[in-house]
Amino acid sequence: MRTQICLLRGINVGGNKIVKMALWTQLYEEMGFARVRTLLQSGNIVFDAAGAQDRAALTLRLSAAFAARFGFDADHVLRDADGLDAAIAGNPFPDAARTAPNHLLVFFLSDVPGAEAMARLSALTADGPARLHLSGDALYLDIAGAVIQKTIDPVKVLKAAGVTGTSRNWTTLGKLAALARA
């Protein structure tokens, strides 16, 4: 069994795209996954999948089953436990993780942004104390000390990146990693 973490974008926010975690858990159990467990109400689920799973194929399978069950699409981002651990170990802003973990966001992207996208992303933080770093398909954004403005809104960050994805703050990532290892 290989532990997988699925992160959804944009559910249970502002009364839109409501998904009960118990029903999402039930869906994954019906799909044959083991040890299915959720974290918070914001689209975090950890489960064990038998055998080697192709990430892209599994993401498509999960997305299709989700849309069929709940009647709407939601971006699915999938990482295995090793990928989540690598994102945590690769944090370029350890000071932010210690002092303001809720203001350190990690975006898990569907693909690596190209050079033009990186220029757009860099422009978002050029005028302020916010810091940005791309490492493969993980984008780190430290907004500690910055006033969150529309220029560094997570939706705008993803738009500038030109790929789909979702973000979680450092505190949530630690909880997800612990849940994945449990």
Side-chain angles (χ1 to χ4, degrees):
M1 294 286 207
R2 186 167 194 92
T3 301
Q4 303 283 342
I5 299 94
C6 183
L7 309 172
L8 296 186
R9 180 173 172 258
I11 67 156
N12 296 341
V13 177
N16 297 310
K17 295 185 175 183
I18 302 300
V19 176
K20 301 273 189 213
M21 296 298 102
L23 296 177
W24 192 21
T25 299
Q26 180 183 18
L27 171 64
Y28 278 33
E29 288 170 344
E30 290 170 6
M31 293 176 73
F33 300 118
R35 292 185 349 109
V36 181
R37 52 247 190 243
T38 61
L39 176 70
L40 306 172
Q41 297 292 316
S42 55
N44 307 294
I45 197 164
V46 178
F47 61 97
D48 292 345
Q53 301 276 334
D54 175 72
R55 185 166 84 180
L58 183 56
T59 301
L60 287 174
R61 181 176 165 221
L62 296 173
S63 296
F66 182 92
R69 174 68 54 93
F70 296 106
F72 62 87
D73 292 320
D75 288 340
H76 284 61
V77 177
L78 193 65
R79 295 293 183 271
D80 63 19
D82 292 340
L84 183 65
D85 287 342
I88 291 170
N91 174 21
F93 307 124
D95 57 323
R98 281 189 310 276
T99 61
N102 289 342
H103 293 223
L104 175 57
L105 302 177
V106 180
F107 290 81
F108 294 92
L109 306 175
S110 60
D111 204 354
V112 178
E116 288 182 17
M118 272 313 298
R120 288 190 303 269
L121 287 165
S122 294
L124 293 177
T125 58
D127 294 332
R131 300 180 291 175
L132 182 96
H133 179 81
L134 179 67
S135 178
D137 59 6
L139 178 69
Y140 301 83
L141 177 63
D142 171 22
I143 56 175
V147 176
I148 297 179
Q149 300 172 349
K150 294 177 183 171
T151 56
I152 56 172
D153 177 275
V155 173
K156 291 196 176 193
V157 170
L158 286 172
K159 185 175 180 181
V163 295
T164 59
T166 190
S167 65
R168 296 297 183 270
N169 71 43
W170 197 255
T171 301
T172 299
L173 286 185
K175 291 176 183 178
L176 278 169
L179 190 59
R181 288 189 287 270

